[in-house]
């Protein structure tokens, strides 16, 4: 008997985001050996990254070591490394730290920021996809207030107290609402030379409305809510350049010390690794079972995959979609391992859209039901606490939210690196 027939199938998962981690945990009882390979040693709960960026939470509240998550799963191991290429012929993943052979491969490497051909803007306008991004934005925001306290020139003080957010999707809306709350409610009594309430938070969107993926009535409610909070919303406005002192718009120049990019994403290099056909955003075009055409042993899931729903619309790049894909692929792999018939084609079940605007304010689309205000905000809080990993994190985040709601205090306002010059 061949040696390969005696050993269990080797499943390698590249990326420990929502999709990759779901595949790993769903294979806990399968007759396979699982290897999770990631360039970071932690899993990050990305929907709450903006709260790290605005000093509501610390990174440890929304990130967990992958090894800890999988510590009780005997058929799983975790490796740290950045993938350079995939050898499809010999079925090997080549990383900077090791080479890992596989029988089944799952690529769940996510997305990064897209500057639409202007990658040089990244230095001046960081995006928000990683813990490192969140801490950079938090540092720049806090340093801006500190520099403004020292500034004698009124024009320079105004520039330092101007925060520009490019892109009015959920991330942009959440950042705008959180930053204006910091300026209006958290900071006012802590400075003597400046009044943080004079800060300008400007949300810039190239399209005609904020939250373009939401129904128009929820989009309009969001805009009105932001403007009541003090956010300046600029729609139908394109950014033509970003630099260290602000942004150039089609209608003129906006001087701003802090610029945050929330306007677009592009898939990881997974498509290039395997030479697969990709869409315009770099997402791998997969079969109905999420495998790569011509390579049934290779699956691509989450934001890295281009998947169509039954009506032809794309599956959105959100956490629930990645988790559903992960559960489906785990089922396919487990079925193959036990010699059973794999499940039918993947079908995405949309669970609704939700975005928070600020304290006691959010928008929610759930089927035919649209909710706004306090009820939607409470639903948002419960949903996000539920999906956090571990009781400790759920309790810690819930307590911090209650404390912040009652006191307007934010305890994560630490400047740990002052290299940024703003």
């Amino acid at each position: 008997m061949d040696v390969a027939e005696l050993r269990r199938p080797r499943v390698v998962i590249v990326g420990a985001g929502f999709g990759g981690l779901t595949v790993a945990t769903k294979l806990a009882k399968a007759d396979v050996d699982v290897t999770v390979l990631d360039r970071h040693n932690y899993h990050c709960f990305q929907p709450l990254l903006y709260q790290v960026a605005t000093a509501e939470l610390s990174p440890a509240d929304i990130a967990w070591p992958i090894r800890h998550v999988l510590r009780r799963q005997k058929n799983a191991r975790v490796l740290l490394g950045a993938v350079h290429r995939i050898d499809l012929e010999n079925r090997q993943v080549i990383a900077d730290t090791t080479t890992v052979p596989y029988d089944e491969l799952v690529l769940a490497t996510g997305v990064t920021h897209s500057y639409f051909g202007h990658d040089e803007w990244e230095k001046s306008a960081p995006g928000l996809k990683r813990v490192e991004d969140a801490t950079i934005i938090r540092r720049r925001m806090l340093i801006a207030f500190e520099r403004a306290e020292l500034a004698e020139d009124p024009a320079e003080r105004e520039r330092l107290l101007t925060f520009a957010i490019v892109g009015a999707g959920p991330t942009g809306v959440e950042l705008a609402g959180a930053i204006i709350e910091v300026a209006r409610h958290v900071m006012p009594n802590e400075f003597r030379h400046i009044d943080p309430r004079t800060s300008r938070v400007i949300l810039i969107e190239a399209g005609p409305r904020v939250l373009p993926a939401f129904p128009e009535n929820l989009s309009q409610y969001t805009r009105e809510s932001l403007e009541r909070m003090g956010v300046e919303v600029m729609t139908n406005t394109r950014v033509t350049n970003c630099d260290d002192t602000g942004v150039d718009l089609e209608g003129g120049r906006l001087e701003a010390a802090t610029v945050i990019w929330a306007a677009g994403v592009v898939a990881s290099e997974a498509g290039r690794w395997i030479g697969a056909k990709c869409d315009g955003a770099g997402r791998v075009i997969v079969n109905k079972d999420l495998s790569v055409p011509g390579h049934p042993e290779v699956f691509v899931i989450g934001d890295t995959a281009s998947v169509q729903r039954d009506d032809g619309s794309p599956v959105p790049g959100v956490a629930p979609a990645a988790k559903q894909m992960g559960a489906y692929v785990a089922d396919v792999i487990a079925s193959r391992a036990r010699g059973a018939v794999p499940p039918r084609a993947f079908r995405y079940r949309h669970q609704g859209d939700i975005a928070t605007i600020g304290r006691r304010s959010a928008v929610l689309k759930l089927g035919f039901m649209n909710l706004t205000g306090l009820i939607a905000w409470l639903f948002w809080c419960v949903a996000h606490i539920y999906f956090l990993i571990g009781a400790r994190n759920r309790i810690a985040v819930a307590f911090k939210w209650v404390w912040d709601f009652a006191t307007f205090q934010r305890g994560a306002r630490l400047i740990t690196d002052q290299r940024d010059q703003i």
Side-chain angles (χ1 to χ4, degrees), residues 29 118 131:
K29 296 182 179 180
H118 295 279
V131 169

Side-chain angles (χ1 to χ4, degrees), residues 218 221-222 225 228 354-364 370-381:
L218 296 184
Y221 173 87
T222 300
S225 298
R228 283 195 299 270
I354 190 168
T356 182
I357 305 167
R359 289 168 57 91
R360 299 180 295 179
S361 183
V363 290
L364 167 67
N370 293 343
L371 297 176
T372 61
L374 178 61
I375 295 177
W377 182 75
L378 291 173
F379 192 100
W380 178 91
C381 291

Side-chain angles (χ1 to χ4, degrees), residues 147-157 160 193:
R147 297 281 195 274
E149 177 76 356
L150 297 170
E152 297 297 335
D153 178 32
E156 175 63 5
R157 191 182 310 128
L160 289 164
H193 187 58

Side-chain angles (χ1 to χ4, degrees), residues 320-353:
K323 295 178 75 170
Q324 289 180 36
M325 292 183 203
Y328 171 84
V329 166
D331 195 3
V332 172
I333 293 173
S335 298
R336 289 179 180 178
R338 63 176 183 268
V341 178
R344 294 183 178 181
F346 171 75
R347 296 190 66 182
Y348 171 63
R349 300 174 301 281
H350 193 55
Q351 298 174 340
D353 299 301

Side-chain angles (χ1 to χ4, degrees), residues 65-118:
I66 304 167
R67 293 186 182 279
H68 181 75
V69 176
L70 299 175
R71 67 192 184 282
R72 293 192 177 95
Q73 188 168 327
K74 300 303 182 183
N75 70 336
R77 65 170 180 162
V78 179
L79 299 178
L80 183 68
V83 174
H84 291 321
R85 65 185 181 91
I86 306 292
D87 184 345
L88 292 174
E89 182 178 354
N90 296 307
R91 298 194 178 187
Q92 292 181 331
V93 177
I94 293 90
D96 56 350
T97 54
T98 185
T99 296
V100 189
Y102 67 85
D103 297 302
E104 307 273 5
L105 174 63
V106 181
L107 299 176
T109 47
V111 294
T112 187
H113 329 296
S114 172
Y115 292 87
F116 307 107
H118 295 279

